[in-house]
Amino acid sequence: MQVSQLTKRSQRFLMLERQPINQDGFVTEWPEMGFVAMSSPNDPNPSVKVENGKIVELDGKSREQFDMLDRFIADYAINAKITEKVMEMDGLDIARMLVDIHVPRAEIVKLAEGMTPAKVVEVLNYMNVVEMMMELQKMRARKTPSNQCHVTNVRDNPVLMAADAAEAGLRGFDEQETTVGIVRYAPFNALALLVGSQTARGGILTQDALEEATELRLAMLGLTSYAETISIYGTESVFVDGDDTPWSKSFLASAYASRGAKMRFTSGTGSEVQMAGAEGKSMLYLEVRCIMMAKGAGVQGLQNGSISCIGVPAAVPSGLRAVLAENLAAMIFGLEVASGNDQTFSHSAIRRSAKMLCQMLPGTDFIFSGYSAVPNSDNMFAGSNMDITDMDDYLVLQRDMMVDGGLRPVDEESVIQIRYEAAKALQAVFDELGFPVITDEEVECAAYASSSENMPPRNVVEDLKAAERILTEGITGLDVALALAKRGYGEIAERVFAMLKQRVAGDYLHTSAIINKNNVVISAVNDENDYGGPGTGYRLSPERWEEIKNIRQAISPQDFD
């Protein structure tokens, strides 16, 4: 039967159209506007030319034609001594070296010093998703994988935030990030996250994602310990849109480092398309330019994986492959990678999980750069790829695959207890510093709450007045530690003070640094990834495997004795 126009619909297709996946948006490739993932006909061919120790040609452009990104990359991100030799190598041969377990990570990182952006894209285009995942396992800077979370709420309620931060610490997150609905609440959010995280254990790194001047100021006060929302872009028109240049971002990076605060840049495929400045290039090519600028600026890492632009690459063919490729590209340049998964992009749980597994199975420095440790209804970062309601699924996936996703099973009693302790500790700090009262009712609610809907309202006006005091009076992390100690929270006070001492030591400024529960920095320096095939690299210890196996839902024969 030949039908030019359907007058009667197939029940099968009607059923399919109702599936969650068909609420997602998909577009055909449109190279002129940048809607192409990894290989645009407008991408340049790899080339380089060096004269008198200076790069004078880069990917088909003479130095006179360089834009500011080309100039920065040529002068600071490429080793002019080796680049011509590296660029003579066949891209397919380099791709095979990446997959070869007998070629060590260090050799690849050295080769990357001589590659131009177009050469990197050429190499990555030879690789399929499985090969890229194999390479993530080898190229990750720190041997031990980890995870980062979002802790926010729509009311900017500091009591709930402290409790959620404590629970997130108990669940295993080594970094915690918050942001605000009302900008003036920022100091309270930073304070609540600091107290809550350190209630769970020492060494958890925290940040408050804000405009850059305020974010840096909170870091200088010792209320936060890292930052990552320092955005860079792959075309000049988009980069300067915020009055920024690669040099100004480099200066900002040095400002953080000089104050003992860890920081990494943020970039990701699709941002230039979203801001209508892709210049007809592929998303991956523009992202590789960002990665090389991060390398040239000397920052220790990069949050990449499309991040808040994930809907753009997810709409085009091979888009999620391009996201995986950008994670790998950052690793090739020896950078720490917080590998996205931090903004939801699909109505399909299957599709969201498939995307996440590309980073979880091989492992990255931070598998999520923002797993939502709260319900997505409370997530002020527009919702994460997975949230607290997916936690049991995630823990079971760790168990199913015998993979370390950075998290651990917890029991209900322990969660309630740690949430209560964090809320009580914050109550004491508020009272000691003369901030608006946190009532016993709020503490009780926070201990058992799931979201901000379970919390009584606070006086927002008075809270905002008090939050501003933190900045105007220069209240520091040391003041917080002293307040905790004075009110009998000695262990939490010691942990807060230990974080301040870490800033002086500066060890956690090394690539891929986290701090373990013993207040020891673990980084690419003392925990370098040495994967070289089966039996090498990161392997679950017997103790960690026991922890992952013992989810609360598992029954035991002994339960029925």
Side-chain angles (χ1 to χ4, degrees):
M1 179 177 67
Q2 190 172 14
V3 180
S4 59
Q5 184 176 358
L6 291 175
T7 57
K8 185 176 181 180
R9 298 295 308 280
S10 160
Q11 293 300 309
R12 177 67 51 79
F13 275 82
L14 287 173
M15 177 272 296
L16 288 172
E17 287 174 5
R18 291 192 292 269
Q19 299 307 302
I21 187 69
N22 287 311
Q23 297 179 55
D24 292 357
F26 303 98
V27 298
T28 58
E29 292 180 328
W30 187 9
E32 293 78 13
M33 295 302 295
F35 281 92
V36 59
M38 292 183 64
S39 184
S40 170
N42 302 314
D43 286 350
N45 293 318
S47 72
V48 75
K49 187 176 181 180
V50 179
E51 291 181 359
N52 300 319
K54 179 176 287 190
I55 293 174
V56 296
E57 180 186 313
L58 182 67
D59 292 340
K61 286 185 183 178
S62 67
R63 196 168 183 92
E64 292 74 24
Q65 298 172 308
F66 284 1
D67 62 19
M68 68 178 184
L69 280 65
D70 295 318
R71 187 174 298 274
F72 190 87
I73 290 168
D75 291 347
Y76 301 108
I78 299 176
N79 186 341
K81 295 179 180 179
I82 66 170
T83 184
E84 290 182 316
K85 182 178 180 181
V86 171
M87 292 292 287
E88 288 174 359
M89 296 177 66
D90 186 274
L92 180 57
D93 290 339
I94 297 175
R96 288 172 173 167
M97 291 174 68
L98 277 161
V99 177
D100 190 344
I101 62 173
H102 301 104
V103 178
R105 174 182 176 273
E107 186 172 337
I108 300 297
V109 172
K110 186 64 178 176
L111 272 180
E113 293 181 10
M115 296 168 69
T116 68
K119 189 69 171 182
V120 176
V121 173
E122 177 194 356
V123 170
L124 293 172
N125 267 306
Y126 282 115
M127 304 176 74
N128 64 32
V129 168
V130 175
E131 290 160 348
M132 290 181 192
M133 291 171 69
M134 290 168 61
E135 278 320 289
L136 254 66
Q137 188 168 223
K138 180 169 90 172
M139 295 307 300
R140 180 177 72 245
R142 186 183 63 243
K143 182 189 297 187
T144 307
S146 185
N147 224 325
Q148 183 208 114
C149 68
H150 290 160
V151 179
T152 69
N153 64 74
V154 295
R155 297 182 185 174
D156 291 324
N157 185 304
V159 195
L160 178 61
M161 190 165 293
D164 283 334
E167 179 179 343
L170 192 68
R171 290 185 179 276
F173 291 103
D174 289 313
E175 286 189 352
Q176 299 186 12
E177 176 185 15
T178 191
T179 192
V180 295
I182 301 173
V183 173
R184 290 164 58 199
Y185 250 121
F188 265 13
N189 285 17
L191 172 61
L193 200 66
L194 174 64
V195 172
S197 63
Q198 300 306 306
T199 301
R201 71 163 178 85
I204 294 173
L205 304 176
T206 61
Q207 71 153 321
D208 199 346
L210 309 157
E211 60 85 19
E212 291 165 352
T214 304
E215 193 168 348
L216 178 58
R217 195 170 177 192
L218 290 171
M220 291 170 65
L221 289 171
L223 297 175
T224 58
S225 47
Y226 80 103
E228 68 182 357
T229 51
I230 291 61
S231 299
I232 54 175
Y233 304 97
T235 61
E236 188 174 75
S237 61
V238 173
F239 213 134
V240 301
D241 189 52
D243 296 324
D244 284 317
T245 72
W247 291 270
S248 67
K249 292 295 188 180
S250 301
F251 179 82
L252 183 61
S254 67
Y256 276 98
S258 66
R259 271 75 177 176
K262 174 183 175 179
M263 70 88 67
R264 49 182 173 257
F265 283 167
T266 290
S267 60
T269 52
S271 60
E272 298 83 12
V273 178
Q274 191 161 287
M275 298 172 74
E279 300 178 358
K281 305 299 193 298
S282 72
M283 298 180 200
L284 182 61
Y285 172 74
L286 298 182
E287 174 57 13
V288 170
R289 297 182 92 198
C290 295
I291 293 165
M292 295 184 72
M293 283 186 285
K295 180 68 174 178
V299 296
Q300 61 86 40
L302 192 68
Q303 176 187 217
N304 83 341
S306 196
I307 313 304
S308 57
C309 306
I310 183 64
V312 179
V316 301
S318 194
L320 296 187
R321 173 172 168 252
V323 172
L324 180 61
E326 68 175 280
N327 294 151
L328 175 55
M331 292 180 182
I332 288 171
F333 284 96
L335 298 171
E336 172 193 83
V337 176
S339 56
N341 292 306
D342 69 333
Q343 183 165 308
T344 189
F345 72 99
S346 174
H347 294 83
S348 166
I350 294 174
R351 194 176 183 215
R352 293 195 306 272
S353 297
K355 191 270 180 198
M356 180 275 297
L357 287 171
C358 290
Q359 288 79 28
M360 180 191 185
L361 295 181
T364 66
D365 293 301
F366 297 97
I367 297 162
F368 284 71
S369 50
Y371 186 114
S372 188
V374 299
N376 269 339
S377 59
D378 257 337
N379 190 311
M380 299 304 293
F381 290 99
S384 176
N385 196 47
M386 291 181 130
D387 74 358
I388 192 66
T389 64
D390 302 304
M391 182 60 70
D392 285 345
D393 298 78
Y394 191 86
L395 295 173
V396 169
L397 284 174
Q398 288 188 146
R399 187 177 189 261
D400 287 343
M401 306 294 184
M402 197 178 179
V403 164
D404 192 340
L407 303 186
R408 65 176 65 93
V410 295
D411 63 82
E412 183 176 2
E413 184 178 357
S414 297
V415 167
I416 293 171
Q417 182 62 34
I418 204 71
R419 293 178 66 92
Y420 180 81
E421 290 176 11
K424 288 295 288 183
L426 190 67
Q427 181 187 50
V429 171
F430 268 45
D431 189 47
E432 184 65 27
L433 297 178
F435 293 156
V437 171
I438 294 174
T439 66
D440 289 341
E441 179 194 6
E442 289 179 276
V443 171
E444 182 77 4
C445 288
Y448 294 91
S450 174
S451 72
S452 56
E453 294 180 358
N454 307 127
M455 295 296 295
R458 287 183 59 80
N459 187 322
V460 175
V461 173
E462 293 304 312
D463 270 354
L464 291 177
K465 289 179 182 177
E468 289 181 345
R469 282 183 47 209
I470 292 178
L471 296 178
T472 57
E473 297 176 16
I475 295 171
T476 69
L478 180 58
D479 295 318
V480 175
L482 292 172
L484 287 164
K486 186 174 180 180
R487 292 303 182 96
Y489 292 91
E491 185 175 33
I492 304 174
E494 287 288 345
R495 291 170 178 170
V496 171
F497 187 59
M499 292 302 296
L500 298 175
K501 290 193 290 185
Q502 287 285 2
R503 300 168 73 95
V504 178
D507 290 342
Y508 81 135
L509 302 184
H510 288 304
T511 300
S512 301
I514 55 176
I515 304 174
N516 69 15
K517 62 183 179 181
N518 299 316
N519 206 40
V520 175
V521 173
I522 305 297
S523 73
V525 173
N526 60 356
D527 188 37
E528 184 178 7
N529 187 9
D530 59 356
Y531 180 79
T536 66
Y538 179 75
R539 302 285 154 169
L540 287 171
S541 68
E543 295 77 19
R544 178 66 175 131
W545 178 225
E546 284 299 315
E547 187 175 54
I548 288 173
K549 283 194 296 186
N550 291 320
I551 57 175
R552 70 177 193 283
Q553 303 96 320
I555 61 173
S556 166
Q558 286 72 37
D559 296 336
F560 301 95
D561 287 346

